[in-house]
Amino acid sequence: MTTKQTNVFITVKTYPTLSEKYVETVCTAGITEEGRWIRIYPVPFRMLENEHQYKKHQWMSLPLVRNAKDFRPESHRVLCTDDIVLGKEIKDWHERRQLIFHENSPVFTNVDELIAQAKDEQINLSLASFKPQEILEFVIEKTAPDWPQVKLDKLEAKSRQQTLFQTPEDIRKELNVVEKVPYHFSYRLTDVTGKERTLKIIDWEVGVLYWNCLRATNGNQEKAVQQVRQKYFDWIVKERDVYLFLGTTFEWHKRAPNPFTIIGVFYPPYQPQQRLF
């Protein structure tokens, strides 16, 4: 039986997190041809073959089914990663806008409305585009420099069950665990009601930017995070038309008062008519 391929325009790749089952996973999300949000999880992205490693703003065709273990309606899983077919990369910002801002995927401006739809068990909204009223600050908070040892130990124990004769060093090398970013980055912002919120940014782009800046500054963390701030606040916020892609996690969707985090930042240039105001 042949499974139908689903075409998805990728808009979100989160920074990898550790997984006991998959070593590490990336939450991927995008817009279908019908203009609806869809989540693809779990994806062991860095373990995919090169021809299957997709980029943001790229079309991808893959066999998807609803994730029966996840109550969030947007959540799907890949039946076979070998069947991922990469499509066209969309580099034009206007074309990206047309694909993302569809009548079936409205842009929210009120966080309380988002939360209400997330908590409504008939809706369980878990992915959305959001337009902040104002971004007030790019918040940088230092956090633990390494993954929790208990998680690493569980991964090593699981790997050791399958490879009894390897040393811990061999196993760590084989696992190739992604480096943990030792900072949390957030936007402090207001929505259309004027209410202030602080939302953490967990997308791949900000994590990779930090590591690139750290190398460029010869390991100077303070200079590196200031360079991250320069892009995410001094340039993106002050010079571009900012939209935030928000998502919930399975663990916190029902438990957290506000379950949304920033899983992607979309920053096209202002359209000509917008500059008049």
Side-chain angles (χ1 to χ4, degrees):
M1 180 179 177
T2 302
T3 303
K4 181 182 176 182
Q5 297 280 107
T6 301
N7 295 322
V8 182
F9 178 61
I10 302 302
T11 58
V12 167
K13 280 167 52 181
T14 62
Y15 195 77
T17 56
L18 296 192
S19 164
E20 290 183 37
K21 185 174 182 180
Y22 302 100
V23 181
E24 66 180 42
T25 61
V26 169
C27 178
T28 302
I31 304 292
T32 66
E33 289 180 305
E34 297 75 32
R36 300 186 186 282
W37 275 103
I38 192 169
R39 174 186 292 102
I40 307 167
Y41 184 84
V43 179
F45 180 81
R46 295 198 310 145
M47 297 177 188
L48 296 177
E49 298 295 332
N50 288 338
E51 64 266 27
H52 298 143
Q53 289 195 355
Y54 48 90
K55 300 177 181 178
K56 285 172 67 173
H57 305 135
Q58 180 174 24
W59 279 102
M60 179 168 64
S61 175
L62 65 173
L64 293 178
V65 295
R66 271 283 291 121
N67 190 338
K69 297 180 180 180
D70 192 333
F71 62 88
R72 298 171 298 173
E74 301 92 347
S75 296
H76 291 67
R77 61 182 179 85
V78 186
L79 287 176
C80 179
T81 56
D82 289 340
D83 291 332
I84 292 175
V85 179
L86 302 185
K88 181 181 178 182
E89 289 184 55
I90 306 300
K91 297 184 178 182
D92 179 74
W93 283 104
H94 178 69
E95 190 173 354
R96 291 174 179 175
R97 278 181 180 270
Q98 290 183 311
L99 291 169
I100 293 169
F101 301 133
H102 191 281
E103 61 182 8
N104 290 326
S105 53
V107 177
F108 287 79
T109 58
N110 185 325
V111 175
D112 284 332
E113 288 183 3
L114 272 167
I115 295 172
Q117 291 200 29
K119 299 299 184 180
D120 185 333
E121 295 186 357
Q122 300 301 313
I123 302 175
N124 283 318
L125 180 74
S126 68
L127 290 172
S129 299
F130 169 69
K131 180 66 173 171
Q133 183 74 13
E134 184 179 5
I135 297 179
L136 304 171
E137 182 183 4
F138 182 73
V139 181
I140 301 169
E141 299 173 284
K142 195 165 182 60
T143 185
D146 300 308
W147 297 109
Q149 189 60 45
V150 63
K151 288 190 175 183
L152 294 173
D153 290 343
K154 286 181 179 180
L155 289 178
E156 290 186 4
K158 183 174 180 179
S159 180
R160 186 174 292 282
Q161 291 174 1
Q162 302 168 350
T163 54
L164 297 176
F165 302 104
Q166 287 184 303
T167 66
E169 292 74 20
D170 291 335
I171 294 171
R172 283 288 180 89
K173 185 175 180 180
E174 182 178 288
L175 291 175
N176 190 26
V177 174
V178 68
E179 291 184 275
K180 182 180 179 295
V181 177
Y183 292 89
H184 285 159
F185 302 114
S186 306
Y187 275 141
R188 185 169 63 86
L189 52 82
T190 59
D191 66 7
V192 71
T193 69
K195 189 172 183 178
E196 191 174 303
R197 315 269 182 173
T198 299
L199 299 176
K200 188 163 72 170
I201 307 169
I202 62 171
D203 79 340
W204 184 295
E205 190 172 341
V206 73
V208 171
L209 177 62
Y210 168 76
W211 294 118
N212 289 340
C213 292
L214 190 66
R215 284 190 289 271
T217 58
N218 297 314
N220 188 313
Q221 290 190 348
E222 183 58 33
K223 288 183 178 179
V225 295
Q226 291 309 313
Q227 288 185 6
V228 174
R229 184 199 299 274
Q230 286 172 9
K231 177 174 181 179
Y232 270 77
F233 192 76
D234 296 342
W235 183 63
I236 289 179
V237 172
K238 296 181 180 180
E239 302 292 337
R240 309 291 277 193
D241 187 21
V242 183
Y243 296 81
L244 306 176
F245 300 141
L246 304 187
T248 70
T249 63
F250 179 85
E251 179 182 6
W252 294 104
H253 183 103
K254 294 184 177 181
R255 297 167 60 187
N258 178 4
F260 287 97
T261 58
I262 300 169
I263 57 176
V265 180
F266 184 60
Y267 46 93
Y270 283 100
Q271 298 183 105
Q273 63 269 28
Q274 292 175 293
R275 298 193 184 101
L276 297 177
F277 300 97

